[in-house]
């Protein structure tokens, strides 16, 4: 009797974990090495150890604890000091990252003696934590106590990104998204090691960021969105909150208040920004308003200066996006004058300007200005010339070809949401391109990175944002992060099941996504 019940108890405590999943991480790490030895098993006395500056490592430790405590039921204290067997260690020191990849690289090792993530920066630790997360069963994500122990297969991962700028753009102007919705999206993109969220804060349909000295921009210009529904805006304090939330997750916010075109909302708020002094009234159609700040009004320059300086103060990173696309009613000289003005103010604020490709029309940009390409993967003469202009001026480029990277275009197998001027864009399309093969002679060194823009003319809810972003953004994340030896075509058949495995996590988290017929469900 005694024997039987003892066995029973032991059995209950040691219910076998489900078979360790094959290592399946998106984006694919640079190096994954199988390690001899047993899996790591999280025990009740495990701790999350911080070895290094706790202000840097603290947020990563807390995110890991938030993930593991509910599913394991363990206390998992976060403690400073050296790890003991069974602990998860976050080690922050200059020599911890893979050589030459201090900015975001990390090393992860798991075996029966513990888990150790080493990095030179908080960004590297964050990346390592996101990989560790994907080595755990998807069930950890839903916050319920699991009936089996958490295990991590014995493995060593050395990893770092191919491109420094791995971005998604959210257009909060056409449709507004609340602080909480934006933060939810940040949590999701961070899981894919997307490290930049470009917020498109002003367009014809709405002005979404408070600018001191110009209260009507938001009070009037923020009122509506597409279809005339109520819009909204962020106070500077709310915006700073988004910036901090993102930073803890290794996501940099790059703000853009698009000028001088696409400015209907600003013109409605301040008619003195128009040439005829007449407020045009709200623009709530999907299509662009063909609007621009009056090139000969001194008020436009005063607005531009206030906006750029205040956004520079709010922007955490080295970049500020100036917009500058699709400007009507300007002569070439007026356009370059305006953009040289805004880019020089950005430079004066210590920021590197990024502009949509049209900005390349100027040959007097501050050194290092970044151009964002939004032409097709097969560029035309004009696209080539514009992008070459940025390179000639010491800058680099960010690639957003609409045929593979625009997250607002319809899926080939579902056109319920999205525009289709660039055709459709499926998961396989988003995976089938290489940033170093678009422009002849322009290789990795001149490509700062990639971005998937999510324009929101047809996108009204955060669930719809998720539907359009995922799973395509998983493909873009891998294009931006993972090496492509010799620029060779990537193997979609190898990628697709990994992406499906990743999406099990989103299912647990209740994140919406499109069940693309490109994927082997
Ligand atoms: C073009 S891409 C635009 C946006 C639209 C988008 C819709 C770019 C710089 N401008 O204003 O929202 O197409 O796909």
């Amino acid at each position: 009797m005694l024997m039987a019940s003892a066995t029973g108890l032991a059995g209950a405590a040691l219910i076998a974990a489900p078979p360790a999943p094959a290592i399946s991480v998106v984006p694919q790490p640079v190096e994954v090495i199988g390690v001899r030895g047993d899996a790591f098993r999280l025990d009740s006395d495990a701790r999350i150890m911080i070895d290094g500056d706790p202000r840097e490592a603290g947020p990563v430790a807390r995110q890991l604890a938030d993930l593991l405590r509910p599913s394991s039921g363990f206390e998992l204290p976060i403690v400073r000091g050296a790890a003991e067997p069974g602990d998860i260690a976050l080690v922050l020191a200059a020599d911890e990252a893979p050589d030459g990849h201090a900015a975001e690289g990390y090393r992860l090792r798991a075996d029966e003696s513990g888990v150790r993530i080493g990095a030179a920066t908080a960004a590297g630790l964050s990346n390592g934590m996101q990989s560790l997360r994907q080595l755990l069963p998807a069930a950890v994500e839903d916050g319920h106590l699991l009936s089996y122990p958490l295990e991590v297969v014995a493995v060593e991962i050395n990893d770092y990104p191919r491109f420094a700028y791995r971005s998604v753009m959210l257009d909060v102007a056409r449709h507004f998204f609340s602080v909480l919705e934006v933060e939810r999206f940040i949590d999701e993109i961070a899981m894919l090691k997307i490290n930049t969220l470009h917020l498109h804060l002003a367009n014809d349909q709405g002005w979404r960021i408070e600018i001191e000295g110009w209260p009507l921009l938001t009070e009037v210009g923020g009122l509506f969105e597409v279809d005339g529904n109520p819009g909204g805006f962020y106070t500077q304090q709310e915006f700073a909150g988004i910036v901090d939330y993102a930073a803890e997750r290794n996501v940099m916010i790059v703000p853009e208040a698009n000028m001088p075109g696409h400015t209907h909302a600003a013109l409605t708020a301040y008619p003195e920004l128009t040439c005829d002094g007449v407020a045009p009234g709200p623009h709530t159609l999907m299509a662009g308003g063909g609007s621009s700040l009056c090139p000969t009004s001194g008020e436009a320059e005063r607005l531009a200066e206030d906006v750029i300086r205040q956004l520079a103060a709010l922007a955490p990173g080295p970049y500020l996006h100036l917009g500058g696309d699709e400007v009507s009613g300007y002569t070439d000289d007026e356009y370059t004058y305006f953009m040289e003005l805004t880019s020089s103010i950005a430079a004066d604020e210590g920021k590197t300007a990024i502009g949509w490709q049209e900005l390349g029309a100027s040959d007097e940009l501050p050194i290092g200005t970044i151009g964002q390409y939004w032409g097709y993967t097969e560029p035309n003469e004009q696209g080539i010339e514009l992008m070459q202009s940025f390179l000639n001026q010491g800058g680099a480029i960010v690639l957003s070809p609409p045929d593979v990277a625009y997250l607002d275009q319809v899926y080939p197998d579902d056109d319920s949401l999205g525009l289709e001027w660039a055709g459709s864009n499926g998961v396989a399309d988003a995976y089938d391109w290489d940033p170093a093969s678009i422009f002849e002679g322009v290789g990795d060194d001149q490509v700062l990175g990639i971005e998937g823009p999510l324009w929101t003319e047809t996108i009204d809810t955060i669930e719809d944002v998720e539907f359009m972003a995922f799973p395509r953004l998983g493909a873009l994340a891998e294009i931006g992060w993972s090496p492509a030896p010799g620029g060779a075509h990537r193997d979609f058949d190898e990628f697709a099941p990994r992406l499906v495995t990743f999406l099990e996590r989103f299912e647990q988290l209740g994140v919406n996504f499109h069940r693309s017929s490109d994927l082997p469900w």
Side-chain angles (χ1 to χ4, degrees):
M1 274 304 281
L2 199 63
M3 283 284 288
S5 81
T7 320
L9 265 182
L14 291 174
I15 289 174
I23 292 164
S24 175
V25 178
V26 177
Q28 177 65 35
V30 171
E31 193 177 33
V32 178
I33 306 164
V35 168
R36 249 178 236 283
D38 290 332
F40 169 76
R41 174 173 289 201
L42 190 72
D43 279 327
S44 59
D45 55 358
R47 304 165 306 164
I48 296 175
M49 302 300 301
I50 293 181
D51 183 352
D53 185 344
R55 283 163 309 183
E56 295 283 314
V60 178
R62 282 193 294 278
Q63 287 160 45
L64 187 57
D66 286 347
L67 179 74
L68 296 177
R69 281 173 185 158
S71 49
S72 67
F74 301 152
E75 200 185 332
L76 293 174
I78 298 171
V79 183
R80 285 183 75 178
E84 286 171 19
D87 289 339
I88 299 176
L90 304 178
V91 186
L92 198 52
D95 59 354
E96 285 290 329
D99 281 351
H101 301 285
E104 284 199 89
Y106 68 92
R107 294 179 199 276
L108 184 158
R109 190 185 161 102
D111 61 26
E112 74 270 19
S113 69
V115 174
R116 184 183 195 282
I117 300 173
T121 61
L125 279 187
S126 177
N127 289 326
M129 185 273 288
Q130 293 294 357
S131 289
L132 173 60
R133 190 169 174 180
Q134 292 190 44
L135 300 174
L136 290 156
V140 293
E141 304 286 351
D142 91 341
H144 285 96
L145 184 64
L146 297 174
S147 60
Y148 49 83
L150 287 176
E151 291 196 347
V152 178
V153 65
V155 72
E156 192 180 309
I157 295 179
N158 300 315
D159 200 13
Y160 50 86
R162 177 175 172 193
F163 296 108
Y165 194 94
R166 305 177 306 282
S167 178
V168 60
M169 188 204 80
L170 184 61
D171 169 7
V172 297
R174 271 53 177 272
H175 280 100
F176 181 69
F177 299 91
S178 70
V179 171
L180 284 178
E181 288 169 331
V182 172
E183 290 179 350
R184 162 171 163 177
F185 192 52
I186 289 168
D187 283 330
E188 296 158 9
I189 64 174
M191 290 174 71
L192 291 163
K193 302 189 179 80
I194 294 289
N195 68 353
T196 305
L197 175 62
H198 165 193
L199 285 176
H200 187 82
L201 293 164
N203 208 302
D204 290 312
Q205 294 84 349
W207 187 286
R208 308 299 181 198
I209 180 71
E210 175 192 18
I211 299 294
E212 283 166 20
W214 299 82
L216 301 182
L217 283 177
T218 42
E219 284 170 24
V220 173
L223 278 176
F224 301 112
E225 56 181 27
V226 165
D227 292 336
N229 296 327
F233 65 90
Y234 312 119
T235 63
Q236 293 204 358
Q237 200 181 356
E238 285 171 329
F239 191 83
I242 295 176
V243 163
D244 291 345
Y245 188 91
E248 293 202 339
R249 287 151 183 83
N250 188 31
V251 174
M252 164 177 70
I253 302 291
V254 173
E256 173 198 5
N258 198 1
M259 295 182 287
H262 288 269
T263 39
H264 211 101
L267 301 176
T268 302
Y270 289 99
E272 54 269 45
L273 294 168
T274 66
C275 285
D276 60 7
V278 179
H283 181 87
T284 57
L285 301 172
M286 274 211 288
S291 58
S292 34
L293 305 175
C294 182
T296 51
S297 110
E299 282 302 274
E301 290 186 26
R302 200 167 68 79
L303 175 79
E305 169 142 20
D306 286 349
V307 169
I308 302 292
R309 291 208 192 278
Q310 291 183 38
L311 289 184
L314 287 169
Y319 304 110
L320 193 61
H321 204 301
L322 302 177
D325 67 313
E326 297 181 324
V327 179
S328 56
Y330 274 50
T331 64
D332 291 352
D333 284 349
E334 284 167 345
Y335 176 74
T336 49
Y337 173 81
F338 186 88
M339 296 314 292
E340 283 161 16
L341 175 75
T342 53
S343 53
S344 65
I345 299 169
D348 184 49
E349 292 288 338
K351 300 292 178 187
T352 297
I354 306 180
W356 297 107
Q357 64 186 39
E358 286 92 324
L359 181 57
S362 166
D363 52 16
E364 291 191 36
L365 297 171
I367 293 170
T369 299
I370 307 293
Q372 184 165 2
Y373 177 67
W374 62 284
Y376 292 99
T377 42
E378 287 189 22
N380 59 22
E381 285 295 317
Q382 193 200 18
I384 294 170
E385 251 173 60
L386 287 169
M387 299 324 287
Q388 190 58 48
S389 163
F390 292 99
L391 301 178
N392 293 345
Q393 298 180 72
I397 61 185
V398 170
L399 292 162
S400 301
D403 45 337
V404 292
Y406 265 39
L407 299 171
D408 73 326
Q409 300 298 302
V410 295
Y411 285 98
D413 54 348
D414 187 329
D415 62 2
S416 58
L417 289 172
L419 302 176
E420 41 194 333
W421 61 262
S424 62
N425 179 13
V427 184
D429 299 319
Y431 197 67
D432 186 25
W433 66 291
D434 191 78
S437 309
I438 304 238
F439 298 104
E440 229 183 281
V442 178
D444 283 25
D445 290 353
Q446 290 148 307
V447 175
L448 180 64
I450 61 159
E451 176 176 288
L454 212 175
W455 305 100
T456 57
E457 285 94 333
T458 66
I459 315 299
D460 192 9
T461 65
I462 191 66
E463 288 79 11
D464 288 352
V465 165
E466 291 169 348
F467 180 87
M468 296 304 274
F470 308 121
R472 289 184 284 202
L473 189 60
L476 295 182
E478 185 145 315
I479 298 281
W481 180 281
S482 309
H489 278 288
R490 292 165 190 272
D491 181 359
F492 185 74
D493 292 338
E494 182 279 323
F495 169 67
R498 266 191 295 116
L499 187 57
V500 169
T501 302
F502 175 84
L503 291 169
E504 286 170 23
R505 243 155 255 284
F506 274 3
E507 235 163 284
Q508 298 286 332
L509 286 164
V511 178
N512 195 23
F513 57 87
H514 171 49
R515 287 183 76 84
S516 162
S517 56
D518 290 349
L519 297 178
W521 298 101

